[in-house]
Amino acid sequence: MKQGTTIITLDNGYHLWTNTQGKGTIHLLALHGGPGGNHEYWEDTADQLKKQGLDVQVHMYDQLGSLYSDQPDYDNPAIAEKYLTYDYFLDEVEEVRQKLGLDNFYLIGQSWGGALVQMYAHKYGDHLKGAIISSMVDEIDEYVANINRLREETLPKEAVDFMLECEEKNDYANPKYQEYVQIMNENFIDRKQPSKLYHLKDLGGTKVYNTFQGDNEFVIKGKLDQWHFRDKLKDITTPTLLTFGEHESMPIKTAHTMNRLLPNSRLVTTPNGGHHHMIDNAEVYYKHLADFIKDVEAGTFQNEEE
C-alpha cells in the first residue's frame, strides 16, 4: 500500500487527509480523539511497534472538520445537523476502511476515537481482527463523576468554586479559569511536559469539539453527554484491548467494568501515563499494544486483567 499522504474523496464530496506509515501484512487504522482532535499522536506508531519487533502498516486520518481534512461550514444549521452526529463519524470510519482497501484489520481509537471503536466493533465487527480502546469509557456519567472528583482532589476549594462559577456564566475564556484547566491538563491529560501536541495556533476542529464535548476536557456540555454504550458491550466478540493511563481523566474503575462485560478483552494500564499515555510513556504503551497484536496473530489471545 502507498506510503505517506493520500487525500481521499468521500461520497459526500468532502476530502480527508490520510497517511500510511510502516510496512508488513498487519494493518492498523488509528482514530484520533476530540472530537475535533487530530492524528498527531499516531505519527510514530509504526516506528514504536517496530521497536517492539512488529512490522505494521499504520493508517491514520484526520476526521471531517479536523486539521488537514476539509472543514465544513458548521455555522450552517443544515450542515451541522447532517455531519455533527455519532452516526456520521461511525460511518466515516467504515468509508475510510473501504477507500483504503482494509479488511481483517486492527482498529485503535483514543478517547472519542475509543467510542468510535466501540460503535464500529458493534456494527462492523466482521471486518476486524482486533479492537483497541485507548482511554475511553462506555458510560459518560462515570467519567463526569470521576473528573469532578479529581478536580476537587487536585485544586483548592476556592479554585474549584471559581471554575464552577465561570462554567455557570459560560466564562470559559477567563484567564484564571484557563490556568486551572492547564493544571488539570498537566496532571491528567498531558503529563509529559512540554507536550508535543500543543500547537502554536488553533488549526481547526474547535467547532466539532465544542459541539460534542464543550470548552475543555473537564466539562461535558455537548452531545457526549448522550454516551451510554454499556448494554451493547456484551455483543462485541472481537478480541479487544483496553488501555488506560494510571493517572488519567478516565476512571480506571469503569475500565475494569468494561473488561468484565466484554466477552473477549484484556485490560492494561500505563504507569506515569495520563490521558495521552502513548506519549507520556510510549515504551510501555506500545509494548502492551504489540503484545496484544502478537497474541491475536498467534491465536493465543486470552481474557486478562492487570
Side-chain angles (χ1 to χ4, degrees):
M1 187 171 291
K2 177 186 174 185
Q3 303 292 297
T5 295
T6 299
I7 305 299
I8 63 174
T9 302
L10 299 174
D11 293 345
N12 59 30
Y14 287 115
H15 303 87
L16 297 187
W17 178 96
T18 79
N19 187 278
T20 295
Q21 299 289 326
K23 298 181 179 179
T25 59
I26 300 170
H27 294 269
L28 175 68
L29 180 61
L31 308 178
H32 64 71
N38 63 69
H39 71 280
E40 289 177 316
Y41 40 62
W42 302 127
E43 288 179 346
D44 65 342
T45 296
D47 292 339
Q48 294 286 354
L49 290 172
K50 181 73 173 178
K51 291 179 186 177
Q52 300 293 336
L54 201 57
D55 289 316
V56 177
Q57 286 196 53
V58 177
H59 313 275
M60 62 201 104
Y61 72 97
D62 289 332
Q63 296 160 24
L64 188 66
S66 295
L67 198 56
Y68 299 137
S69 292
D70 280 354
Q71 300 189 27
D73 179 12
Y74 293 125
D75 290 330
N76 182 323
I79 292 177
E81 182 179 357
K82 184 174 182 178
Y83 293 111
L84 293 179
T85 70
Y86 284 90
D87 287 342
Y88 168 73
F89 283 106
L90 169 60
D91 292 337
E92 181 185 82
V93 179
E94 171 60 7
E95 187 172 354
V96 169
R97 177 198 74 80
Q98 293 177 19
K99 287 189 162 37
L100 292 180
L102 304 177
D103 210 354
N104 201 28
F105 69 108
Y106 294 87
L107 182 67
I108 187 169
Q110 165 70 13
S111 196
W112 155 253
L116 291 174
V117 170
Q118 293 174 58
M119 290 188 287
Y120 190 91
H122 188 265
K123 183 175 182 179
Y124 298 110
D126 289 347
H127 296 294
L128 291 178
K129 187 181 289 187
I132 304 96
I133 301 167
S134 184
S135 293
M136 186 59 190
V137 295
D138 61 334
E139 174 50 65
I140 199 64
D141 292 345
E142 294 180 15
Y143 167 80
V144 172
N146 186 68
I147 204 64
N148 282 320
R149 176 184 64 81
L150 291 176
R151 178 160 67 172
E152 291 173 357
E153 292 176 355
T154 304
L155 299 174
K157 183 179 184 304
E158 57 269 24
V160 175
D161 290 344
F162 179 80
M163 293 187 77
L164 292 172
E165 182 181 335
C166 288
E167 289 162 11
E168 184 69 26
K169 297 186 296 187
N170 288 322
D171 187 18
Y172 295 107
N174 186 293
K176 194 67 177 176
Y177 179 87
Q178 290 300 323
E179 285 182 22
Y180 292 139
V181 169
Q182 186 59 18
I183 291 171
M184 294 294 290
N185 283 338
E186 292 180 9
N187 275 276
F188 303 107
I189 307 298
D190 298 303
R191 289 176 61 83
K192 188 174 183 179
Q193 291 290 324
S195 173
K196 67 179 183 179
L197 298 179
Y198 291 168
H199 277 250
L200 294 176
K201 185 172 176 58
D202 178 12
L203 297 177
T206 303
K207 281 279 187 182
V208 186
Y209 184 81
N210 292 160
T211 299
F212 279 86
Q213 174 84 18
D215 176 80
N216 59 71
E217 291 294 285
F218 308 100
V219 290
I220 302 289
K221 299 288 188 180
K223 294 183 179 182
L224 277 173
D225 69 358
Q226 305 162 16
W227 178 245
H228 310 289
F229 206 71
R230 180 156 296 169
D231 64 341
K232 296 180 175 64
L233 293 187
K234 67 182 185 302
D235 302 321
I236 297 174
T237 58
T238 303
T240 303
L241 179 67
L242 298 160
T243 174
F244 288 72
E246 289 186 0
H247 303 279
E248 73 151 275
S249 52
M250 294 286 170
I252 303 300
K253 182 178 179 181
T254 301
H256 286 280
T257 299
M258 295 172 70
N259 192 46
R260 290 194 298 272
L261 294 174
L262 285 161
N264 199 16
S265 65
R266 172 186 298 172
L267 171 62
V268 295
T269 59
T270 299
N272 302 316
H275 195 52
H276 293 146
H277 52 300
M278 76 286 284
I279 290 174
D280 294 331
N281 191 345
E283 183 176 358
V284 172
Y285 182 92
Y286 282 107
K287 184 180 188 309
H288 286 154
L289 178 56
D291 287 347
F292 169 74
I293 294 175
K294 289 174 183 177
D295 287 347
V296 174
E297 290 293 309
T300 57
F301 175 77
Q302 295 180 338
N303 286 42
E304 294 179 19
E305 185 171 2
E306 272 196 348

